[in-house]
Amino acid sequence: RCRALHAHSGSVWDVTFLDSNCGAGGGLVTCSSDGSIRLWSLPPGSQGPGAPVVMTGLIDVGPAAEGVRCVRLSPDSKLLASGDRAGNLRVHSLKDLTLESFIEAHDSEVLSLDWAPQDESQVDPVQETSNP
Protein backbone atom coordinates (compact mmCIF):
# COMPACT_ATOMS: atom_id res chain seq x y z
CA ARG A 1 0.00 0.00 0.00
CA CYS A 2 1.40 3.32 -1.08
CA ARG A 3 -1.20 5.67 0.41
CA ALA A 4 -4.50 5.46 2.29
CA LEU A 5 -7.02 8.27 1.82
CA HIS A 6 -9.69 8.36 4.51
CA ALA A 7 -12.91 10.14 3.58
CA HIS A 8 -15.56 7.74 2.29
CA SER A 9 -17.80 6.08 4.87
CA GLY A 10 -18.42 3.06 2.61
CA SER A 11 -16.55 0.80 0.23
CA VAL A 12 -14.76 2.45 -2.70
CA TRP A 13 -16.02 0.89 -5.93
CA ASP A 14 -14.03 2.70 -8.61
CA VAL A 15 -11.08 5.04 -9.13
CA THR A 16 -10.20 7.04 -12.23
CA PHE A 17 -7.20 9.27 -12.70
CA LEU A 18 -7.24 12.94 -13.69
CA ASP A 19 -4.53 14.34 -15.91
CA SER A 20 -2.80 17.64 -15.25
CA ASN A 21 -5.36 19.48 -17.45
CA CYS A 22 -8.04 18.84 -14.81
CA GLY A 23 -6.30 20.64 -11.97
CA ALA A 24 -2.96 21.34 -10.39
CA GLY A 25 -0.75 18.33 -10.99
CA GLY A 26 -3.55 15.93 -11.77
CA GLY A 27 -5.21 13.68 -9.24
CA LEU A 28 -7.94 11.08 -9.03
CA VAL A 29 -11.67 10.55 -8.57
CA THR A 30 -13.16 7.93 -6.26
CA CYS A 31 -16.75 6.73 -5.89
CA SER A 32 -18.28 4.80 -3.05
CA SER A 33 -21.23 2.88 -1.69
CA ASP A 34 -21.75 5.86 0.64
CA GLY A 35 -23.32 7.74 -2.31
CA SER A 36 -20.46 10.16 -2.89
CA ILE A 37 -17.90 10.96 -5.56
CA ARG A 38 -14.71 12.62 -4.33
CA LEU A 39 -12.05 14.47 -6.31
CA TRP A 40 -8.47 14.38 -5.05
CA SER A 41 -5.62 16.65 -6.10
CA LEU A 42 -1.89 16.06 -6.21
CA PRO A 43 -0.10 19.40 -5.76
CA PRO A 44 2.50 20.22 -8.45
CA GLY A 45 5.85 18.53 -7.85
CA SER A 46 4.34 16.00 -5.42
CA GLN A 47 5.53 12.47 -6.02
CA GLY A 48 6.12 9.34 -4.01
CA PRO A 49 4.42 7.67 -1.05
CA GLY A 50 4.73 10.69 1.28
CA ALA A 51 3.34 13.23 -1.19
CA PRO A 52 0.32 15.22 0.03
CA VAL A 53 -3.08 14.39 -1.46
CA VAL A 54 -5.90 16.91 -0.93
CA MET A 55 -9.65 16.37 -1.40
CA THR A 56 -10.73 19.18 -3.72
CA GLY A 57 -14.32 18.29 -4.57
CA LEU A 58 -17.36 16.36 -3.40
CA ILE A 59 -20.45 15.28 -5.30
CA ASP A 60 -23.08 13.92 -2.92
CA VAL A 61 -25.35 11.75 -5.04
CA GLY A 62 -27.31 10.85 -1.91
CA PRO A 63 -28.95 7.78 -0.44
CA ALA A 64 -31.45 7.45 -3.30
CA ALA A 65 -28.61 6.20 -5.48
CA GLU A 66 -27.79 3.45 -2.97
CA GLY A 67 -24.13 3.92 -3.81
CA VAL A 68 -22.08 4.98 -6.80
CA ARG A 69 -20.53 2.01 -8.61
CA CYS A 70 -18.39 3.51 -11.39
CA VAL A 71 -16.91 6.78 -12.65
CA ARG A 72 -15.25 7.74 -15.93
CA LEU A 73 -13.72 10.97 -17.20
CA SER A 74 -14.63 12.19 -20.70
CA PRO A 75 -11.84 12.16 -23.32
CA ASP A 76 -11.65 15.98 -23.22
CA SER A 77 -11.44 15.94 -19.38
CA LYS A 78 -14.45 18.27 -19.05
CA LEU A 79 -17.16 15.84 -17.91
CA LEU A 80 -17.42 13.08 -15.33
CA ALA A 81 -19.92 10.25 -15.87
CA SER A 82 -21.08 7.99 -13.04
CA GLY A 83 -23.35 4.99 -12.64
CA ASP A 84 -25.13 3.98 -9.45
CA ARG A 85 -26.65 0.93 -7.80
CA ALA A 86 -30.19 1.99 -8.77
CA GLY A 87 -29.29 1.93 -12.50
CA ASN A 88 -28.98 5.68 -13.03
CA LEU A 89 -26.38 7.52 -15.08
CA ARG A 90 -25.21 11.02 -14.20
CA VAL A 91 -22.90 13.40 -16.03
CA HIS A 92 -21.29 16.25 -14.08
CA SER A 93 -19.22 19.17 -15.27
CA LEU A 94 -15.73 18.76 -13.87
CA LYS A 95 -15.27 22.54 -13.82
CA ASP A 96 -17.91 23.30 -11.18
CA LEU A 97 -19.34 19.81 -10.39
CA THR A 98 -22.84 20.76 -11.58
CA LEU A 99 -25.16 18.02 -12.81
CA GLU A 100 -25.37 18.20 -16.61
CA SER A 101 -27.44 15.08 -17.30
CA PHE A 102 -29.41 12.42 -15.42
CA ILE A 103 -30.76 9.25 -17.06
CA GLU A 104 -32.72 6.41 -15.45
CA ALA A 105 -30.91 3.88 -17.62
CA HIS A 106 -31.37 0.43 -16.08
CA ASP A 107 -33.43 -1.57 -13.59
CA SER A 108 -30.29 -2.71 -11.78
CA GLU A 109 -26.87 -1.34 -10.91
CA VAL A 110 -24.52 0.15 -13.49
CA LEU A 111 -21.22 -1.65 -12.94
CA SER A 112 -19.10 -0.03 -15.63
CA LEU A 113 -19.27 2.72 -18.21
CA ASP A 114 -17.08 4.38 -20.77
CA TRP A 115 -17.21 7.23 -23.26
CA ALA A 116 -17.79 6.32 -26.88
CA PRO A 117 -15.41 7.66 -29.54
CA GLN A 118 -16.55 10.98 -31.01
CA ASP A 119 -18.85 10.29 -33.96
CA GLU A 120 -21.56 12.57 -35.34
CA SER A 121 -23.90 9.59 -35.79
CA GLN A 122 -23.61 8.60 -32.13
CA VAL A 123 -26.59 9.82 -30.11
CA ASP A 124 -25.43 8.77 -26.62
CA PRO A 125 -21.75 9.41 -25.86
CA VAL A 126 -21.80 7.20 -22.74
CA GLN A 127 -21.84 3.41 -22.99
CA GLU A 128 -22.64 1.38 -19.88
CA THR A 129 -23.15 -2.17 -18.64
CA SER A 130 -25.35 -3.47 -15.84
CA ASN A 131 -26.55 -6.68 -14.27
CA PRO A 132 -29.37 -8.37 -16.24
Side-chain angles (χ1 to χ4, degrees), residues 25 42-48 51:
L42 302 171
S46 306
Q47 294 181 351

Side-chain angles (χ1 to χ4, degrees), residues 2-22:
C2 181
R3 166 76 68 171
L5 305 173
H6 302 282
H8 288 289
S9 61
S11 301
V12 172
W13 275 80
D14 200 5
V15 176
T16 192
F17 292 91
L18 302 171
D19 62 27
S20 58
N21 296 329
C22 299

